[in-house]
Amino acid sequence: MDELKLQMNMDEYLPLRDVVFNTLRQGILTGILKPGERLMEIHLADKLGVSRTPIREAIRMLELEGLVTMIPRRGAEVSRISRQDISDVLEVRLVLDSLATKLACKRITEDQKEELRSAAEEFARATESGDVTEIAKADVRFHDVILAASHNKRLIQMVNNLAERIYRYRLEYIKDAANHARLIEEHAKIMDCVIKGDEGSACIAAEIHIVNQENNMLSQVDE
Amino acid sequence: MDELKLQMNMDEYLPLRDVVFNTLRQGILTGILKPGERLMEIHLADKLGVSRTPIREAIRMLELEGLVTMIPRRGAEVSRISRQDISDVLEVRLVLDSLATKLACKRITEDQKEELRSAAEEFARATESGDVTEIAKADVRFHDVILAASHNKRLIQMVNNLAERIYRYRLEYIKDAANHARLIEEHAKIMDCVIKGDEGSACIAAEIHIVNQENNMLSQVDE
DNA sequence: AATCTCATTATTGTATACAAAAAACACTAA
DNA sequence: TTAGTGTTTTTTGTATACAATAATGAGATT
């Protein structure tokens, strides 16, 4: 583990377990904590300046979220991701994203239409800036607006959970400038269909968007 | 809480947190622990004969699973289920069950075909016996075989999680003898299509199966 | 009688202590 | 040298102790 990069943001007034949870989660998603790496309680407790109790509770949560794996009497390690895992996730995500898009067509509010337009613009602007963090944030924002427009809390939660698991690979995809033009176009297409309320075309556009991601991610793993 | 019915099954050799987790989970699913009921740590610890530590860890897991809700500095309570929640769950479940059925058509093994046949038979036999527990178990088994045949671990996990949340309502549906004939028929239809590998018809059959459940559950809540 | 204040209690949040199991290591004997 | 054995160390699993906060209730005052 990178000794320096893992530290807590104590600004928010949350129980320590939640702060630890967010910290570890972020560490795993950004790759500071690598797949297979052991998470030892005392070690983490010392590093984060808390006791083992909140660490343990955070690990229980990460376990259920699938980000860490417990080995009996040996503790936790960052979950390893196999090609099969990614493929499984994307298979499910395809239909859930498609569903979210369909529901968004039916239920999107006027305010959300406006948000969607601005999110799409922002994404295009971000690609020009070249700042990877900005681009990733703008991409997440765009998808969040569509998800929110589905007005289905369970769906939102499940898609977010799936997205989380493959975040690292998606990041690589988004980083690559060669994909930017296509991404902007795909976003525009999805946005248009959703705003028009054209369910059929919207689903197809969303599915194409995922399939393109899928191909890229799986080829990343092949290397 | 019903004082007597909540007790642990210590047979299995698992960490206490997992035993507690299963115990509380079961309690919530069967209705021994009712929505809105407060889960107080010391109380539960005394009742189950363990310390607060495993109780707390189990609660963290139940929280992420959605079965309990945390109220800051007040502790946990059994999640309340609204009509909207059920509707959200079923909306997602429709597409996931449909996906599972489609994948099962493609990937089911010969052994699993055999299991599916025996599960369908068993369900029919269980309805004759009239034993509600038996019927519910047979129903779960049938759906588990299809899910397993999808060969997608993530999908299996997600569908199980969704099913869990509406278990109580499904139980009511299954209890009602008036539904048995239709259920048997629907199962038979799904089974036939999956075994034949007819994806289109299988999905439609699965969707009808869910929609019928959906109507029943939502009308239960209306009362 | 009603309300406000203050003390008490109950309960969660966090830290630490202790127990038990597994892993690592060194030492002995063949 | 190598296999085996016993010991030490590390680490998890569980229990308990302490701290802080929110709920409760009693008593005083108006």
Side-chain angles (χ1 to χ4, degrees), chain B residues 57-140:
Chain B
E57 297 190 0
I59 287 178
R60 293 290 91 73
M61 298 194 276
L62 291 165
E63 182 190 357
L64 228 73
E65 192 125 328
L67 291 177
V68 314
T69 304
M70 292 303 299
I71 302 170
R73 295 217 174 61
R74 256 206 102 223
E77 64 169 47
V78 179
S79 294
R80 298 164 200 273
I81 311 176
S82 68
R83 188 195 158 80
Q84 184 64 49
D85 290 333
I86 296 177
S87 167
D88 283 358
V89 167
L90 290 169
E91 203 162 63
V92 178
R93 230 200 127 179
L94 186 64
V95 301
L96 289 189
D97 251 316
S98 178
L99 173 63
T101 308
K102 189 173 104 187
L103 295 177
C105 289
K106 288 189 207 167
R107 300 177 184 165
I108 191 168
T109 64
E110 288 305 318
D111 284 357
Q112 286 172 329
K113 285 183 187 176
E114 203 37 62
E115 277 183 66
L116 193 56
R117 284 191 199 96
S118 93
E121 266 178 50
E122 210 176 289
F123 178 77
R125 219 182 358 259
T127 58
E128 282 164 29
S129 83
D131 178 347
V132 179
T133 319
E134 276 310 305
I135 301 176
K137 241 176 26 195
D139 181 56
V140 168

Side-chain angles (χ1 to χ4, degrees), chain A residues 1 5-9 16-34 37-41 43-45 47-48 50 52-63 65 67-68 76 78-79 164 168:
Chain A
M1 173 175 55
K5 285 184 188 161
L6 196 67
Q7 67 179 33
M8 297 200 292
N9 172 14
L16 284 182
R17 61 166 177 271
D18 291 323
V19 180
V20 172
F21 173 73
N22 289 328
T23 305
L24 294 180
R25 185 169 169 281
Q26 211 53 33
I28 294 172
L29 294 184
T30 58
I32 295 171
L33 297 165
K34 297 191 176 50
E37 183 167 336
R38 256 184 103 179
L39 296 177
M40 280 176 302
E41 296 168 5
H43 187 222
L44 289 173
K47 185 158 302 298
L48 300 179
V50 300
R52 280 175 60 208
T53 308
I55 302 278
R56 285 179 66 83
E57 296 190 1
I59 287 178
R60 292 292 87 75
M61 298 194 275
L62 291 164
E63 182 190 359
E65 193 124 326
L67 291 176
V68 315
V78 179
S79 293
E164 183 171 274
R168 224 167 320 148

Side-chain angles (χ1 to χ4, degrees), chain A residues 57 91 107 154 165, chain B residues 56 91 107 154 165:
Chain A
E57 296 190 1
E91 204 162 62
R107 300 176 185 166
R154 197 60 52 207
R165 289 169 200 247
Chain B
R56 285 180 65 83
E91 203 162 63
R107 300 177 184 165
R154 196 60 53 207
R165 290 169 199 247

